Structures are given as C-alpha cells and as structure tokens.
Amino acid sequence: MSQAVHIPFDNLYVTLDERLFSHRHPTPVKQPGLIRVNDPLARLLGIDPQALQSAEGVNILAGNAVAEGSQPIATVYAGHQFGSWNPQLGDGRAILLGEVIGSDGLRYDVQLKGAGETPYSRMGDGRSPLGPVLREYIVSEAMYALGVPTTRALAAVTTGERVARDDIFPGAILTRVARSHIRVGTFQFFGAREDWEAVRTLADHVIERHYPHISGSTAPYLELLQTVVERQAQLIAQWQSIGFIHGVMNTDNMLVGGETVDFGPCAFMESYDPRTVFSSIDRQGRYAYANQPGIAHWNLAWLAQSLLPLLHPDEKTALELAGQALNVFPDLYNQHYTRLMCKKLGFEEPGEEPRALMIEFLTLLQQESLDFTLSFRVLADYLGSEEPAAGSVGELYPLPFTLNDWLGRWRDELGVASMDSNQLQTLRQQLQSTNPVFLPRNHRVEEAIQAGNRGDFGPFHKLVDLLTKPFDFDPDHSEYIFPAKPEEAVTRTFCGT
Ligand code: AMP
Ligand code: MG
C-alpha cells in the first residue's frame, strides 16, 4: 500500500524578493521510473522514504506532480565561467521545489535537476541525461560519507524520454538537497547591476540561514565575507586531501554556504600528479588539482567585489577591508591543508618534521606514479617494520621498496618502536579512519553509467552502497579499491550539460 507523500515544506527564499527568482513549474515527463531513493536523507528531511517510492512519490520526483506546499521557482545568478564573465545565468534546468527544516534543525533546499526549461535555459533543453545524474548521485553521496560538506542526492528517476547531446541518452532527474543553492554568482548577478538592495537582502538571508552567529555583529557583511573565505579554505583543503578534482570551479558553481556543488566533470586523482586535469572542456588546465586553492581565492574576490558597498560607505575603506579579508585565504588554506595531510600520516600536530615527511611522501608518490588514495591507506599496514599482514589492503597494494627509507623515518617520527600493542592498534585505526579505501573511482563511475544507459542499475546501486562506508575495508569487494588499469583509465570526463 502506498501512503500519501508528505514533504514538510517551509519556504523562505520564495518570500524574499521577486528579483531573485522566477516562478516556474517543472515540465512533466513521458514516463517516470524510479532508480533510487536515499532513505536516510529522506528521513532527515521528515519524508517517508516508502511514500517517496510510491507512484505518487515518483511523479513528484519527476516533476509530473507538484507536492503540497511546494512553491516551485528557478533562481537567477551570473558568474565567471572559465574566467569569462557571463552576466546572465540561472537555474536553466533546475527547479527549486521549496525548503524543508530537517530533523537536525537545519534548512534544506529540495531541487529537481533536469526538470525542464526555465526562463534561464538560454539555448538548453532544461533536461539532463542519465549519466550525469548517476555521477552526481554517486559522487555527492560519497563526498558526504567522506565527511566533506556537499550537496546531496535524495533521489534519481528516469523520464522515459530521450536527451540529445553528442549522442542520444536516456533522460533522468536528480533530486538535489543543499543547505542552500546561493552561489558567489548569485551575489555577482545583483552586484554587477549595482542592485545593492537585492545584495543586502541576499546577504541578510545567507547570514540568517548559514551563519546566524554573525547576525548580532557590528560589521555583519564583513564577517560574512570572512566566514565564507574561512569555509572555502577548509572545503578546498578537504578536496585536496582526498584528491578530489572538481573540474568546473566557475563562480556560479561555488556555494556561499561552503558545500561542494555541481558534480559535472569531476573526478578523483589516481596516480599522484598535481597537474592532473580531467574535464574535457578544461583545455588550459585552469581547474587542475594544484590550481584549486588559487581559483577558490580568485572566486572569493568576486564575492568581495559584489559586497563592497555593504562593507563600508567609503569606497577606499571598503576596498581595504575586502583586501584584508581576502588576503588571509592562502594562510588559512595552508593551515587546513597541512593539518589534514599530516593527520593522514598519523600526526595530530603538523610540526616541522611531519610537514617535511608529508612533502617527501608526495614527491615519492609522484616519482613512482603511485595511487594517491591507496598509498596513504596502506600506511596503516606498514606501522610495524615487517611486511603488511595477509588479507590487509597493504598486501593487495604493497608500497615499492624505494619507500623503505621514508617508511623507517616516518615510523621513527611517530615513535612506533616505543608503543605498546594497544597504542599501535589505536594509531592503526586512526590512520584507517582518516584514509579512505573506497572512492568513486572514475572507471567505476563510468561502468555504472554505461550499465545504466543499458537499463541495468546494478553497478550503480552497488557503488552507492559500497561508498556509504568509504573507510571500512570489505575484502569481498576488494576489486573496487584499485585504480584503473591502463585500458580502463578515464582520462577525460564530460560536463553534465
Ligand atoms: P553548469 O555547467 O552545469 O554549471 O551550468 C552552467 C549554466 O548552464 C547554468 O546556468 C545551467 O543552469 C545552464 N545549463 C546547463 N545545462 C543546461 C540544460 N540542459 N538546459 C538549460 N540550461 C542548462
Ligand atoms: Mg552549475
């Protein structure tokens, strides 16, 4: 028996100012079909996952029915895409159904991505092929499980329609959940038009929604900028620490709430090389792994630019304040990055020696073309001076002997020789809960997409299930830990458009 679907909408953005969005209903699709509902996330949002899987639920997820309490809108924004200013973007294929207060007390957007044309569709069809929907579901949920702030996937459905890109693909819709979808580009849209009233409305909303601790401040907009700078420094350091390459860090793909958004041409680095780029449209390598912190800093400068008149009535003073807020980014980022990377080696305090060992380790990984993720993970199996134990990840992915000297100095610095077995075990567990063993490796994501295009969602479900526990090694699925073999390697990923 299917129950009535109840989504406890409590919409705020739609009440703010008509300049921020357009009212727009999703366009119904031919034949909605359920791929997956994210049960724990549905429960967090106060939605019965069973009901969401009913025919009525699937109709809502496909945009064929509008849930009670939903006030569907498409939001407007602008942005710098690959460095070039685009004054008019917006939700071209996404429709915000409304917001829900989760059982954690936080406000969440519930948005359909691929739900049809909007006033911001430009030349696009407002639709999404299945592949990008599956990729976003897999990678965003993996990021969540890895502890990285991210938008999430509540559901994926097929549309029964075909979507034309460089080929013809099945159509699909993702239900995306975010703390908000307010982007640097949202501020830019109004800042570029010198619509400071709208900028202020937006800034007040972001403070109330994401950073309520600022609301009593004497300089709330400066604190807003400082806080977003801090959040992004932390976020990008987390990306770097797991080898995540976003691929399309345009200012419209950076959320002021500090969550990762837009899993278009993203991928995880395998053999360590800071110059790694995946996106097929990133020909200059603008968004290469090593460039991500610098690009985030650049994007934040555009946020600052859009906030200037709110920072101080005197332009020169406003520029000085913005400059000071921005200038701390590299140091903040480095602090977070160094702390996270040293923790991956088992050091709680990122002192001089741990830092030197970290840099040397990365150099060795690059020289030996070793897998970034596995090389850190197997360190837990090298705490003793003997070989990794039978059945361990280290046995499956042994480090080459060229690392022996480094391993010796690493153990000395950790002081493993003087640890008792309990202390060693604690350290081993700490390393294993910091360094994931399962990631959405590019060839596995590709495999899930190819199968999905043939109507087989088995590999997709298997990957999603496995990635809910990225730190727990399950020997039954050991084939998922490995990087791509040369013939499987995915060297280019394509945008979701
Ligand atoms: P993205 O590259 O996904 O960040 O998208 C950049 C801009 O293009 C955004 O304003 C999107 O809403 C818009 N867009 C992307 N794909 C489509 C599509 N299929 N139909 C309409 N608009 C789209
Ligand atoms: Mg985008």
Side-chain angles (χ1 to χ4, degrees), residues 208-249:
E208 176 186 348
R209 185 163 180 172
H210 292 283
Y211 309 118
H213 64 279
I214 296 173
S215 58
S217 157
T218 49
Y221 305 117
L222 180 61
E223 273 199 49
L224 171 62
L225 177 61
Q226 290 166 332
T227 308
V228 178
V229 167
E230 160 63 31
R231 291 297 164 103
Q232 287 296 332
Q234 201 171 335
L235 179 69
I236 309 301
Q238 280 188 280
W239 289 1
Q240 301 302 89
S241 77
I242 54 171
F244 176 75
I245 302 174
H246 183 282
V248 60
M249 286 180 71

Side-chain angles (χ1 to χ4, degrees), residues 77 81 89-91 93 113 176 183 246 248 250-254 261-264 497:
Y77 52 87
Q81 300 176 301
L89 292 164
D91 295 325
R93 56 173 159 172
K113 191 171 170 188
R176 179 159 71 182
R183 304 147 193 270
H246 183 282
V248 60
N250 297 335
T251 56
D252 53 303
N253 290 333
M254 184 185 261
V261 72
D262 226 315
F263 296 86
T497 47

